[in-house]
Amino acid sequence: MGKARLVGNRIKMMRLAKGLRQKHVADMLKISQSNMSNIESSRCGVTIDHLFTLQEIFACCMSDFFVDVDIEKSADKSSNKGYTVEDLFKIVAKLKG
Protein backbone atom coordinates (compact mmCIF):
# COMPACT_ATOMS: atom_id res chain seq x y z
CA MET A 1 0.00 0.00 0.00
CA GLY A 2 1.38 3.41 -0.94
CA LYS A 3 2.34 5.89 1.74
CA ALA A 4 -0.21 8.49 0.61
CA ARG A 5 -2.91 5.82 0.85
CA LEU A 6 -1.86 5.10 4.42
CA VAL A 7 -2.32 8.77 5.34
CA GLY A 8 -5.74 8.89 3.64
CA ASN A 9 -6.81 5.75 5.49
CA ARG A 10 -5.56 7.19 8.77
CA ILE A 11 -7.59 10.38 8.24
CA LYS A 12 -10.70 8.31 7.56
CA MET A 13 -10.13 6.13 10.64
CA MET A 14 -9.63 9.20 12.84
CA ARG A 15 -12.79 10.83 11.46
CA LEU A 16 -14.82 7.69 12.11
CA ALA A 17 -13.34 7.30 15.60
CA LYS A 18 -14.58 10.82 16.41
CA GLY A 19 -18.02 9.97 15.00
CA LEU A 20 -17.83 12.75 12.43
CA ARG A 21 -19.55 12.69 9.06
CA GLN A 22 -17.42 13.20 5.98
CA LYS A 23 -19.57 16.20 4.97
CA HIS A 24 -19.05 17.87 8.35
CA VAL A 25 -15.25 17.54 8.16
CA ALA A 26 -15.28 18.70 4.53
CA ASP A 27 -17.24 21.81 5.54
CA MET A 28 -14.72 22.55 8.29
CA LEU A 29 -11.90 22.21 5.73
CA LYS A 30 -13.87 24.39 3.27
CA ILE A 31 -13.76 21.68 0.61
CA SER A 32 -16.44 19.58 -1.06
CA GLN A 33 -17.50 16.23 0.31
CA SER A 34 -16.24 14.60 -2.90
CA ASN A 35 -12.82 16.18 -2.33
CA MET A 36 -12.83 14.81 1.23
CA SER A 37 -13.71 11.40 -0.16
CA ASN A 38 -10.83 11.69 -2.63
CA ILE A 39 -8.41 12.54 0.19
CA GLU A 40 -9.55 9.58 2.30
CA SER A 41 -9.27 7.20 -0.65
CA SER A 42 -5.98 8.79 -1.78
CA ARG A 43 -7.28 9.78 -5.19
CA CYS A 44 -5.86 13.20 -4.32
CA GLY A 45 -3.36 14.33 -1.74
CA VAL A 46 -3.99 16.25 1.43
CA THR A 47 -2.40 19.66 1.85
CA ILE A 48 -0.32 20.61 4.85
CA ASP A 49 -2.90 23.34 5.63
CA HIS A 50 -5.63 20.70 5.71
CA LEU A 51 -3.49 18.53 7.99
CA PHE A 52 -3.14 21.41 10.44
CA THR A 53 -6.92 21.91 10.42
CA LEU A 54 -7.53 18.17 10.78
CA GLN A 55 -5.12 18.14 13.71
CA GLU A 56 -7.36 20.68 15.45
CA ILE A 57 -10.58 18.90 14.48
CA PHE A 58 -9.37 15.51 15.73
CA ALA A 59 -7.44 16.96 18.70
CA CYS A 60 -4.38 14.92 17.77
CA CYS A 61 -0.69 15.31 17.07
CA MET A 62 0.54 15.85 13.52
CA SER A 63 2.51 12.62 13.78
CA ASP A 64 -0.74 10.68 14.28
CA PHE A 65 -1.44 11.06 10.54
CA PHE A 66 1.85 9.34 9.73
CA VAL A 67 1.89 6.56 12.31
CA ASP A 68 1.70 3.90 9.59
CA VAL A 69 4.28 5.53 7.33
CA ASP A 70 7.81 4.16 7.56
CA ILE A 71 10.40 6.92 7.71
CA GLU A 72 13.98 6.89 8.77
CA LYS A 73 14.02 7.91 12.41
CA SER A 74 17.01 9.35 14.21
CA ALA A 75 19.62 7.00 15.61
CA ASP A 76 18.14 7.44 19.08
CA LYS A 77 15.12 5.18 18.74
CA SER A 78 14.60 5.08 22.49
CA SER A 79 13.50 8.73 22.36
CA ASN A 80 9.73 9.17 22.17
CA LYS A 81 9.68 12.85 21.24
CA GLY A 82 7.59 12.38 18.11
CA TYR A 83 8.49 13.77 14.73
CA THR A 84 10.71 16.76 14.11
CA VAL A 85 9.89 19.38 11.49
CA GLU A 86 12.58 17.81 9.31
CA ASP A 87 10.85 14.42 9.65
CA LEU A 88 7.54 15.96 8.54
CA PHE A 89 9.18 17.54 5.51
CA LYS A 90 10.69 14.15 4.61
CA ILE A 91 7.27 12.53 4.93
CA VAL A 92 5.60 15.16 2.75
CA ALA A 93 8.39 14.80 0.16
CA LYS A 94 7.93 11.00 0.10
CA LEU A 95 4.17 11.37 -0.25
CA LYS A 96 4.60 13.68 -3.22
CA GLY A 97 6.60 11.21 -5.10
Side-chain angles (χ1 to χ4, degrees):
M1 183 178 293
K3 291 178 169 105
R5 186 154 188 84
L6 293 172
V7 174
N9 284 341
R10 174 64 54 187
I11 290 169
K12 181 177 182 178
M13 288 174 27
M14 293 170 79
R15 177 181 60 77
L16 293 172
K18 292 286 184 178
L20 299 172
R21 292 176 162 260
Q22 196 176 62
K23 172 77 169 126
H24 180 70
V25 175
D27 288 344
M28 292 170 43
L29 292 174
K30 297 181 173 95
I31 61 175
S32 67
Q33 182 177 357
S34 64
N35 194 359
M36 186 69 206
S37 175
N38 287 336
I39 289 170
E40 289 183 353
S41 63
S42 301
R43 288 187 293 269
C44 73
V46 62
T47 68
I48 193 73
D49 288 335
H50 287 153
L51 286 176
F52 281 119
T53 302
L54 289 168
Q55 177 184 1
E56 292 175 18
I57 293 168
F58 299 148
C60 67
C61 297
M62 185 65 74
S63 60
D64 292 341
F65 297 112
F66 305 101
V67 73
D68 297 323
V69 178
D70 286 333
I71 65 165
E72 295 176 16
K73 295 291 279 179
S74 65
D76 182 16
K77 294 194 187 252
S78 64
S79 172
N80 193 14
K81 296 179 185 176
Y83 294 109
T84 66
V85 172
E86 292 80 18
D87 288 333
L88 293 175
F89 281 123
K90 287 179 187 176
I91 291 168
V92 171
K94 286 184 179 185
L95 291 174
K96 286 184 177 180

